Amino acid sequence: MCDNVRMISSQRQHLILNRLRTRGAVRITALSKELGVSAMTIRRDIADLADKGLLKRVHGGAVTTSSLLAEPLFSVKSQMDMGLKDTIARRAIDYVSPGDVIAIGGGTTAYVFAQHLLESRQCAGVTLLTNSIPVAELVQAMESKDVEVIVTGGVITRSNSLVGPIADKVIASLRVNTVFLGTHSVSIPRGFLMPNSLEAATDMALMDIADRTIILTDHTKWSCTSLSLFASFDQVDTVITDDQLDQESAEATRSLVKRLVLVPVNPEEGQAQDGSSDGSGPEAGEADHAG
């Protein structure tokens, strides 16, 4: 009986590793449903594989240890940490005013931000530059055409972003008020990184044409690493993340970046830790966290 249990566990773990090789990331709930076992069983398998150095545990699932050079597909990433992304995205809407000219980068957190923005009053008359195919499709699907979208063109990445020289050339000819970017990892004291060097270069191009840069990222990104730096802390105006970021990382980040906004994951807490309430504009009290 014990041998059979070990065999079944071994088979599950082999399948988990196969999924990681093809997708770059896996989600506990999806694996639980696919394999017909409890989420706790999958957590134990992932913990065992992590102890062996075969994968890296993240909130809600696992990523391949080769994530330094590769990233999960957009379809996989979009299903991970949805609650955190939603919390961050809702706060970021306060940084847009009707009629603004903004840019939204690739990645799933930026995509969730675009979803909430397009459902809000702030999107009225907005011109939106993006290198994200999913974001462009969101605007195209809108019944109201009050938002103008400009797509950069370029080479498509695994995250459904458009990058490379074509994208960078289009971007360089434009100007925006604010750029909203996601990040694959946050490295203290280096800055913000992506696994794709072309995507990092295109993010740099977007920052170059923006009056201000806002990074949208959840707390798990402080425990990741990536290959290509696209922004140092002093190049970023505001970082919006959730309040699950550990105190040590929060204090270190606050000392390096111009402004850090920690948004409560539980709405009943009522106050974003930038000194302003969640419903107010970003200017109120932000100086409390200026580095």
Side-chain angles (χ1 to χ4, degrees):
M1 180 68 175
C2 290
D3 288 342
N4 188 45
V5 170
R6 283 197 294 271
M7 181 189 68
I8 294 173
S9 175
S10 175
Q11 289 174 336
R12 285 197 308 268
Q13 292 180 15
H14 181 71
L15 185 141
I16 290 170
L17 292 175
N18 279 338
R19 294 293 182 270
L20 278 174
R21 276 190 286 271
T22 58
R23 302 174 183 174
V26 292
R27 189 165 176 81
I28 289 171
T29 52
L31 287 171
S32 174
K33 183 176 181 180
E34 179 181 357
L35 299 178
V37 296
S38 69
M40 183 59 69
T41 297
I42 298 298
R43 287 192 184 94
R44 284 197 295 266
D45 287 335
I46 287 176
D48 188 31
L49 292 168
D51 289 341
K52 297 173 182 175
L54 298 175
L55 55 74
K56 179 180 176 62
R57 297 170 69 181
V58 297
H59 182 76
V63 297
T64 176
T65 53
S66 63
S67 60
L68 185 68
L69 297 173
E71 61 180 325
L73 293 169
F74 184 91
S75 58
V76 175
K77 290 168 63 180
S78 64
Q79 299 303 313
M80 303 185 73
D81 302 316
M82 280 303 299
L84 300 180
K85 294 171 184 175
D86 194 69
T87 294
I88 294 162
R90 289 181 184 276
R91 183 65 176 92
I93 293 173
D94 292 341
Y95 291 77
V96 181
S97 298
D100 275 354
V101 180
I102 67 170
I104 299 179
T108 53
T109 305
Y111 174 77
V112 175
F113 162 66
Q115 286 180 308
H116 286 293
L117 175 62
L118 294 174
E119 293 170 356
S120 72
R121 294 180 178 179
Q122 281 96 317
C123 79
V126 163
T127 298
L128 194 164
L129 168 68
T130 188
N131 68 321
S132 167
I133 294 174
V135 169
E137 289 175 340
L138 272 180
V139 180
Q140 186 63 27
M142 286 180 62
E143 292 183 6
S144 169
K145 296 301 180 183
D146 198 26
V147 177
E148 181 179 0
V149 63
I150 302 169
V151 183
T152 64
V155 178
I156 303 176
T157 68
R158 286 171 60 87
S159 62
N160 280 6
S161 299
L162 296 164
V163 301
I166 295 174
D168 298 349
K169 185 174 182 178
V170 171
I171 292 167
S173 67
L174 302 170
R175 188 76 190 175
V176 300
N177 302 127
T178 308
V179 59
F180 297 85
L181 298 173
T183 183
H184 186 266
S185 63
V186 182
S187 175
I188 298 172
R190 294 184 65 204
F192 306 90
L193 301 99
M194 302 294 288
N196 184 318
S197 59
L198 287 177
E199 190 161 8
T202 297
D203 282 350
M204 289 181 190
L206 286 168
M207 291 173 59
D208 284 344
I209 67 162
D211 295 330
R212 65 176 177 175
T213 296
I214 298 178
I215 300 290
L216 312 177
T217 185
D218 66 77
H219 74 276
T220 65
K221 303 303 174 59
W222 272 257
S223 61
C224 300
T225 188
S226 299
L227 178 68
S228 300
L229 184 75
F230 70 88
S232 59
F233 284 100
D234 61 2
Q235 292 176 299
V236 173
D237 294 276
T238 302
V239 175
I240 304 177
T241 189
D242 60 276
D243 66 352
Q244 301 304 302
L245 183 64
D246 66 272
Q247 185 175 351
E248 182 179 353
S249 296
E251 290 178 353
T253 302
R254 189 175 297 124
S255 70
L256 293 167
V257 77
K258 295 176 184 176
R259 189 169 294 113
L260 174 66
V261 179
L262 301 177
V263 190
V265 173
N266 299 315
E268 60 269 18
E269 292 181 17
Q271 293 287 322
Q273 294 184 37
D274 61 350
S276 60
S277 65
D278 286 340
S280 69
E283 290 79 10
E286 279 187 339
D288 291 346
H289 277 190

